[in-house]
Amino acid sequence: MTNRSMISDELAKYVLPAAQFDGLSLEVLDAPRAARFWSAALGGGTVRDVGPGRLRIDAAPGRSPREILRLTTVRELRPQATRAHLDLRLSGAAPDVLVAAGAHVVRSPGPDPWFVLADPEGNQVCAYPAADDRPSGIFQLVVKCRDAYAQARWWGRVLSGDVIAEGSAAAVKAAPGFPWDYLVFDPVPEPKVARNRLHWHLDLRDRDPSALLLAGATVLRQPDAIHAPWVLADPEGNEFCAFTERL
């Protein structure tokens, strides 16, 4: 993603709370099996049990402390694929380590110079062969959407990041605490029709998400217990958890 042009911030009239990205959450059927793959994808992140049916994979040494993946066991997965996925760089030319951890190859490099992999439960990951001295591991979170520029402007404002354009796509970069190079918004013609299996967490400065709601977020579920998050959706319906305080 190259910085061809800065996109004007149309949300400047809103005073949004300082929000910081705090990792991802993925719905799974078999958390231990999923953890074996995702620990490898995260470069050897530490897996720990955080409650019934829930595992947390923390960042590997030398990685951002907010490179976190939480695995939550559900009874069944919705048939539609999530509109969010991760892109990573391999340590070599082929995804042998990830295949050994349970992935299968959906598509090898061709006109597009990357592998498309599926984790043990079908969640797709784009894996780029090593080509230079950039480190291996995840480097961007990609979200499919109808209006890439509007989504990037909104999230750039929420996360206090810079917004850039690349053709029909747009991205947020340099957001404080964001663990990867880019949060990318990739346009597709179809609307969102089901809950994402993969969503993200935010830590909010304020005691409630009022400013986010004023800016266009919607409430999907209010906190139902102490330390529970608000479950919100962005203007295109992508779910995220917003915490005002944590244990």
Side-chain angles (χ1 to χ4, degrees), residues 41-60:
L42 291 167
T46 302
V47 180
R48 58 191 179 96
D49 192 324
V50 292
R54 296 188 295 131
L55 297 176
R56 171 175 165 141
I57 306 173
D58 287 314

mmCIF file of all heavy atoms in Angstrom, residues 41-60:
data_model
loop_
_atom_site.group_PDB
_atom_site.id
_atom_site.type_symbol
_atom_site.label_atom_id
_atom_site.label_comp_id
_atom_site.label_asym_id
_atom_site.label_seq_id
_atom_site.Cartn_x
_atom_site.Cartn_y
_atom_site.Cartn_z
ATOM 1 N N ALA A 41 0.697 -18.848 12.838
ATOM 2 C CA ALA A 41 0.518 -17.662 12.001
ATOM 3 C C ALA A 41 1.012 -16.405 12.695
ATOM 4 O O ALA A 41 1.491 -15.469 12.041
ATOM 5 C CB ALA A 41 -0.953 -17.514 11.621
ATOM 6 N N LEU A 42 0.906 -16.367 14.027
ATOM 7 C CA LEU A 42 1.370 -15.219 14.807
ATOM 8 C C LEU A 42 2.835 -15.358 15.207
ATOM 9 O O LEU A 42 3.309 -14.636 16.077
ATOM 10 C CB LEU A 42 0.498 -15.048 16.047
ATOM 11 C CG LEU A 42 -0.946 -14.595 15.783
ATOM 12 C CD1 LEU A 42 -1.797 -14.763 17.024
ATOM 13 C CD2 LEU A 42 -0.976 -13.149 15.298
ATOM 14 N N GLY A 43 3.544 -16.285 14.585
ATOM 15 C CA GLY A 43 4.975 -16.396 14.825
ATOM 16 C C GLY A 43 5.352 -17.047 16.131
ATOM 17 O O GLY A 43 6.437 -16.797 16.670
ATOM 18 N N GLY A 44 4.463 -17.886 16.663
ATOM 19 C CA GLY A 44 4.774 -18.575 17.912
ATOM 20 C C GLY A 44 4.214 -17.893 19.132
ATOM 21 O O GLY A 44 4.803 -17.971 20.221
ATOM 22 N N GLY A 45 3.076 -17.216 18.991
ATOM 23 C CA GLY A 45 2.445 -16.551 20.124
ATOM 24 C C GLY A 45 2.060 -17.527 21.220
ATOM 25 O O GLY A 45 1.779 -18.704 20.972
ATOM 26 N N THR A 46 2.044 -17.034 22.454
ATOM 27 C CA THR A 46 1.720 -17.864 23.616
ATOM 28 C C THR A 46 0.216 -18.071 23.728
ATOM 29 O O THR A 46 -0.562 -17.120 23.674
ATOM 30 C CB THR A 46 2.230 -17.199 24.902
ATOM 31 O OG1 THR A 46 3.645 -17.004 24.790
ATOM 32 C CG2 THR A 46 1.929 -18.051 26.121
ATOM 33 N N VAL A 47 -0.214 -19.322 23.896
ATOM 34 C CA VAL A 47 -1.631 -19.656 24.029
ATOM 35 C C VAL A 47 -1.958 -19.872 25.495
ATOM 36 O O VAL A 47 -1.245 -20.593 26.200
ATOM 37 C CB VAL A 47 -1.975 -20.941 23.240
ATOM 38 C CG1 VAL A 47 -3.461 -21.274 23.378
ATOM 39 C CG2 VAL A 47 -1.590 -20.783 21.771
ATOM 40 N N ARG A 48 -3.030 -19.241 25.964
ATOM 41 C CA ARG A 48 -3.455 -19.474 27.346
ATOM 42 C C ARG A 48 -4.973 -19.545 27.438
ATOM 43 O O ARG A 48 -5.694 -18.942 26.641
ATOM 44 C CB ARG A 48 -2.888 -18.423 28.294
ATOM 45 C CG ARG A 48 -3.215 -16.992 27.994
ATOM 46 C CD ARG A 48 -2.353 -16.069 28.859
ATOM 47 N NE ARG A 48 -2.593 -14.665 28.603
ATOM 48 C CZ ARG A 48 -3.415 -13.893 29.308
ATOM 49 N NH1 ARG A 48 -4.100 -14.415 30.321
ATOM 50 N NH2 ARG A 48 -3.569 -12.625 29.027
ATOM 51 N N ASP A 49 -5.424 -20.277 28.430
ATOM 52 C CA ASP A 49 -6.847 -20.472 28.682
ATOM 53 C C ASP A 49 -7.365 -19.278 29.473
ATOM 54 O O ASP A 49 -6.803 -18.922 30.509
ATOM 55 C CB ASP A 49 -7.043 -21.756 29.480
ATOM 56 C CG ASP A 49 -8.492 -22.206 29.549
ATOM 57 O OD1 ASP A 49 -9.376 -21.325 29.630
ATOM 58 O OD2 ASP A 49 -8.740 -23.420 29.548
ATOM 59 N N VAL A 50 -8.446 -18.643 28.991
ATOM 60 C CA VAL A 50 -8.995 -17.480 29.683
ATOM 61 C C VAL A 50 -10.453 -17.689 30.078
ATOM 62 O O VAL A 50 -11.146 -16.726 30.420
ATOM 63 C CB VAL A 50 -8.840 -16.198 28.834
ATOM 64 C CG1 VAL A 50 -7.379 -15.815 28.706
ATOM 65 C CG2 VAL A 50 -9.469 -16.364 27.449
ATOM 66 N N GLY A 51 -10.929 -18.929 30.063
ATOM 67 C CA GLY A 51 -12.297 -19.198 30.473
ATOM 68 C C GLY A 51 -12.878 -20.333 29.671
ATOM 69 O O GLY A 51 -12.284 -20.786 28.680
ATOM 70 N N PRO A 52 -14.048 -20.816 30.052
ATOM 71 C CA PRO A 52 -14.666 -21.940 29.345
ATOM 72 C C PRO A 52 -14.835 -21.663 27.856
ATOM 73 O O PRO A 52 -15.471 -20.677 27.461
ATOM 74 C CB PRO A 52 -16.021 -22.084 30.040
ATOM 75 C CG PRO A 52 -15.815 -21.484 31.401
ATOM 76 C CD PRO A 52 -14.854 -20.349 31.190
ATOM 77 N N GLY A 53 -14.244 -22.513 27.029
ATOM 78 C CA GLY A 53 -14.377 -22.373 25.587
ATOM 79 C C GLY A 53 -13.629 -21.207 24.989
ATOM 80 O O GLY A 53 -13.855 -20.862 23.822
ATOM 81 N N ARG A 54 -12.712 -20.599 25.745
ATOM 82 C CA ARG A 54 -12.018 -19.414 25.237
ATOM 83 C C ARG A 54 -10.511 -19.565 25.430
ATOM 84 O O ARG A 54 -10.041 -19.927 26.505
ATOM 85 C CB ARG A 54 -12.509 -18.152 25.935
ATOM 86 C CG ARG A 54 -13.981 -17.846 25.664
ATOM 87 C CD ARG A 54 -14.383 -16.499 26.217
ATOM 88 N NE ARG A 54 -14.302 -16.480 27.677
ATOM 89 C CZ ARG A 54 -13.693 -15.535 28.373
ATOM 90 N NH1 ARG A 54 -13.081 -14.534 27.759
ATOM 91 N NH2 ARG A 54 -13.689 -15.563 29.696
ATOM 92 N N LEU A 55 -9.766 -19.253 24.387
ATOM 93 C CA LEU A 55 -8.314 -19.215 24.429
ATOM 94 C C LEU A 55 -7.840 -17.857 23.933
ATOM 95 O O LEU A 55 -8.523 -17.201 23.135
ATOM 96 C CB LEU A 55 -7.706 -20.314 23.551
ATOM 97 C CG LEU A 55 -7.995 -21.763 23.947
ATOM 98 C CD1 LEU A 55 -7.387 -22.708 22.914
ATOM 99 C CD2 LEU A 55 -7.448 -22.074 25.336
ATOM 100 N N ARG A 56 -6.686 -17.466 24.413
ATOM 101 C CA ARG A 56 -6.090 -16.194 23.993
ATOM 102 C C ARG A 56 -4.664 -16.463 23.539
ATOM 103 O O ARG A 56 -3.901 -17.139 24.225
ATOM 104 C CB ARG A 56 -6.108 -15.192 25.144
ATOM 105 C CG ARG A 56 -5.309 -13.911 24.877
ATOM 106 C CD ARG A 56 -5.472 -12.931 26.004
ATOM 107 N NE ARG A 56 -4.458 -11.879 25.938
ATOM 108 C CZ ARG A 56 -4.681 -10.601 26.212
ATOM 109 N NH1 ARG A 56 -5.889 -10.221 26.595
ATOM 110 N NH2 ARG A 56 -3.708 -9.719 26.133
ATOM 111 N N ILE A 57 -4.321 -15.927 22.353
ATOM 112 C CA ILE A 57 -2.964 -16.046 21.826
ATOM 113 C C ILE A 57 -2.330 -14.665 21.903
ATOM 114 O O ILE A 57 -2.768 -13.721 21.240
ATOM 115 C CB ILE A 57 -2.967 -16.554 20.378
ATOM 116 C CG1 ILE A 57 -3.767 -17.856 20.272
ATOM 117 C CG2 ILE A 57 -1.534 -16.772 19.891
ATOM 118 C CD1 ILE A 57 -3.965 -18.325 18.849
ATOM 119 N N ASP A 58 -1.314 -14.548 22.743
ATOM 120 C CA ASP A 58 -0.609 -13.277 22.906
ATOM 121 C C ASP A 58 0.563 -13.190 21.940
ATOM 122 O O ASP A 58 1.033 -14.195 21.399
ATOM 123 C CB ASP A 58 -0.121 -13.129 24.343
ATOM 124 C CG ASP A 58 -1.260 -12.832 25.304
ATOM 125 O OD1 ASP A 58 -2.085 -11.965 24.985
ATOM 126 O OD2 ASP A 58 -1.338 -13.477 26.366
ATOM 127 N N ALA A 59 1.047 -11.984 21.763
ATOM 128 C CA ALA A 59 2.093 -11.717 20.789
ATOM 129 C C ALA A 59 3.371 -12.495 21.092
ATOM 130 O O ALA A 59 3.735 -12.723 22.250
ATOM 131 C CB ALA A 59 2.399 -10.225 20.764
ATOM 132 N N ALA A 60 4.046 -12.904 20.035
ATOM 133 C CA ALA A 60 5.351 -13.539 20.163
ATOM 134 C C ALA A 60 6.382 -12.484 20.574
ATOM 135 O O ALA A 60 6.172 -11.277 20.378
ATOM 136 C CB ALA A 60 5.745 -14.180 18.835
#
